[in-house]
Every structure is written in structure tokens, then in C-alpha cells.
Amino acid sequence: MYQIRTDLALETQEKMQEDKVELKGVRFSEEHVSKNLTISTVVIETENGAKIMGKPTGIYLTLESPDLALEVEENSRVLQERICDCIRELIFHKISCEDGKELKILFVGLGNRAVTPDALGPYVADHLEVNRHIVKEYGKYAMRTEQLIVLSAIVPGVMGQTGMETAEIVRGIVHETKPDLILAVDALAARNSRRLNRTIQIADTGIHPGSGVGNYRNAMTEESLGVPVIGIGVPTVVDAATIVNDTMENFITALEQSQALRSTGEILRSYSAAEKYEFVKELISPHLNGMFVTPKDVDETVKYLSFTISEGLNTAFGEA
């Protein structure tokens, strides 16, 4: 089956619907929170559903808003509240937390701080209100709460900087600090350029560092690390071949609407999606094949998004 390049379960589900693929074992629902905010839920319930979707079984929550990257106080407040709600929903879906019990969470900011589209994880870590050191020194009552989330954070860098797999570093930290849950943030790749910096995916299935640009590293999952892993991602890049492919689709549509060139458009339309995509990749190879594109305002956007996500997390952890 023709697989599109995307890290978003929502886009995979949309593609399956377009191709009229029967999605047994996959549930989908959508909530329109406001005119500018939609929350979609994709639940992959069975191994058959996971095989069709090409993603692990679990819950995938996707927040979409055209205003996500706009620095408007009202938008930011609503988004932070919703991020908080989604995070708490998945945390307490994975872990039952008794009254008075400490919940230890390790935050992992994935990515490369020196490459802006990949700096989301480190930037979020910068704004987090970590408290593990305070609790270890003075006890949980220093935080003035009966029930407490004990938060620690690490920015492990990338293999090119450390020579180590991120999963190896995190596994060592898990062994030493014994968290109840890991929360990892990373940049993703989207299928549709309109979703760049406008979408947040939160999933309870873990995360694959580097998957957005095809650098598949060891997965960070409950199976590999021994504790549940919640992954948060924002698509900051799109495959160049995908953009050219979308342009080709628009070109074919324009040909079909032309009286003189309609037959040419119909011929091109007869090719399957996979055939057209492979044709595009062949045309742009070797100079553009493997290239990823990001918006020109990515510097400010990633900084603002990282602050919005971190405030949502701080709210979630503060309400324990």
C-alpha cells in the first residue's frame, strides 16, 4: 500500500478514508472546541488497525488551530488549557494515581537546539518548572500540596553530538531516577503544509526520535524503557517531494479544466497516487530528494509554540 510521509495519525487516517480503506480496529472522533480550534481523537485498538495505519496501538490526540502560532493572549490561554486537559487525560489513562502519592515524571526534550525546526523539545524544557531537586532537599510539603507531580527534565541532544542513542541515555536516567512516566517532546513531519506549526499531536504510544526526517533511531516506548511514554509533537517540516506532488495534483486539475489540454490531464490523472509520487521523487532526484522544507518564520514560531506547550504542561503538573 502507498504510504504517505507523515508522523500524524490524523493524516494517515484521512488518507485511508480518501482511499476508501476499511479501518477495522480504528476509532475516530472530532470535537470543535471553537471556530479556530479542533481536537481530533484517533484510537488504534487492534493489531490489525495498527498494521493498516502503520502506527502502534494507542490514543492519538491532535489539536489543530490556524492561530496556534499567533501570539494572541486569548488563543494562548485556551490552547494551554486544552493541552493541560489532553496531557492529564493520557497520564491518568496510563497511571492510576492515589491521593497523597507522588507521581514522578521525567521530561525529555528531543532535538537539536542548534537547528531551529528541530529545537522544539529543548525550548520546551527551558520553560518547565522542574521541582525534583526541591522535593529531594525539602520534601513534598515544601511545594504546599498533598498530591504532587515530581518533575525532572533532560535535553539529551542528538547522536551527532553525543555519539549515543537517545534511548540509551534515557534508559540510564530511568534506571537511576525511576520515574513513573516519561513525557517526550519532538518536532515532527507533516503530509500537508497547512498543518506546519498549526498542529500538536499528543500520543500515549511513545516516540521515535528523528523519524520526521527519516533518521530512524531507537524507539522510546514503554517496551524499550520499562515505563509508559507519552509523546508530544509539532510538525515543523514537510517533505519536498510531498510539496511537488501536491503541486502536480493542482497542475493536473488545471489541465482538466482546460479545453485544449483536458486529455493530457486525464492521462496523468489515470496514474495511481503511488505512481505519481514515485515519478515526482525521480524528477527531483538527486538535488531535492530527501530535502525537507520549513516556513520562513520558523524561528519565532517554534519559540512561541514551545512556550505555549510548556505553560500547558506546567498547568497540568501544578494541578496534580
Side-chain angles (χ1 to χ4, degrees):
M1 184 183 292
Y2 165 54
Q3 292 290 333
I4 58 174
R5 168 67 73 87
T6 179
D7 292 317
L8 300 177
L10 175 62
E11 290 190 328
T12 304
Q13 186 268 342
E14 289 173 346
K15 178 62 178 174
M16 296 297 107
Q17 278 195 327
E18 287 176 17
D19 295 343
K20 295 181 171 55
V21 175
E22 188 176 2
L23 289 175
K24 287 185 177 178
V26 179
R27 287 191 290 111
F28 173 74
S29 61
E30 195 172 67
E31 177 191 359
H32 295 282
V33 179
S34 66
K35 184 176 70 173
N36 293 324
L37 178 61
T38 301
I39 300 179
S40 305
T41 303
V42 176
V43 182
I44 303 177
E45 300 176 309
T46 65
E47 290 303 323
N48 178 64
K51 185 176 180 181
I52 294 172
M53 292 282 287
K55 297 188 181 299
T57 56
I59 302 171
Y60 300 81
L61 306 175
T62 307
L63 293 81
E64 288 187 274
S65 173
D67 301 332
L68 191 63
L70 299 180
E71 200 166 348
V72 179
E73 186 176 345
E74 185 177 344
N75 295 339
S76 181
R77 186 171 60 253
V78 172
L79 284 166
Q80 289 168 20
E81 290 171 356
R82 288 297 173 162
I83 291 169
C84 168
D85 293 343
C86 291
I87 289 295
R88 290 178 65 81
E89 177 184 338
L90 291 189
I91 286 176
F92 295 117
H93 176 261
K94 301 295 286 187
I95 297 175
S96 57
C97 192
E98 302 171 3
D99 288 343
K101 180 182 180 295
E102 292 181 1
L103 177 60
K104 294 182 288 185
I105 293 179
L106 171 63
F107 175 88
V108 182
L110 299 169
N112 187 343
R113 190 185 292 275
V115 181
T116 306
D118 194 33
L120 182 73
Y123 284 0
V124 172
D126 290 345
H127 301 296
L128 280 182
E129 296 172 0
V130 296
N131 61 5
R132 181 175 180 270
H133 57 306
I134 298 174
V135 174
K136 281 179 67 69
E137 183 72 22
Y138 302 107
K140 69 177 183 178
Y141 295 106
M143 305 304 296
R144 299 180 182 179
T145 180
E146 286 293 322
Q147 189 172 345
L148 177 68
I149 288 182
V150 180
L151 180 64
S152 55
I154 181 71
V155 178
V158 293
M159 182 180 273
Q161 297 168 323
T162 65
M164 295 179 283
E165 288 275 3
T166 300
E168 292 175 331
I169 297 171
V170 175
R171 197 176 296 119
I173 296 171
V174 168
H175 177 73
E176 288 295 320
T177 64
K178 297 178 174 52
D180 299 306
L181 179 136
I182 292 170
L183 188 65
V185 172
D186 200 7
L188 307 177
R191 163 67 180 81
N192 194 318
S193 58
R194 72 178 173 82
R195 284 199 166 102
L196 292 182
N197 301 325
R198 301 291 185 273
T199 305
I200 300 173
Q201 176 175 272
I202 305 173
D204 67 353
T205 57
I207 206 158
H208 292 72
S211 63
V213 292
N215 296 331
Y216 294 97
R217 306 262 66 92
N218 288 348
M220 289 176 50
T221 62
E222 184 170 2
E223 290 72 26
S224 65
L225 298 176
V227 294
V229 181
I230 293 176
I232 303 175
V234 174
T236 59
V237 296
V238 63
D239 188 358
T242 297
I243 294 177
V244 177
N245 188 59
D246 289 346
T247 304
M248 184 178 177
E249 286 293 323
N250 294 335
F251 178 61
I252 292 171
T253 301
L255 289 176
E256 290 174 331
Q257 292 172 353
S258 167
Q259 198 71 25
L261 300 172
R262 181 177 299 164
S263 59
T264 305
E266 290 172 350
I267 292 171
L268 291 172
R269 180 70 69 190
S270 67
Y271 289 100
S272 69
E275 289 171 332
K276 282 185 281 192
Y277 188 74
E278 288 305 315
F279 176 59
V280 164
K281 288 181 70 175
E282 190 174 321
L283 282 177
I284 67 175
S285 181
H287 302 295
L288 292 178
N289 195 12
M291 181 177 287
F292 289 82
V293 181
T294 193
K296 65 180 181 180
D297 60 348
V298 68
D299 300 76
E300 286 302 314
T301 300
V302 168
K303 287 179 182 178
Y304 178 67
L305 281 172
S306 65
F307 178 76
T308 299
I309 292 171
S310 64
E311 286 301 294
L313 297 179
N314 287 332
T315 302
F317 301 151
E319 291 180 358

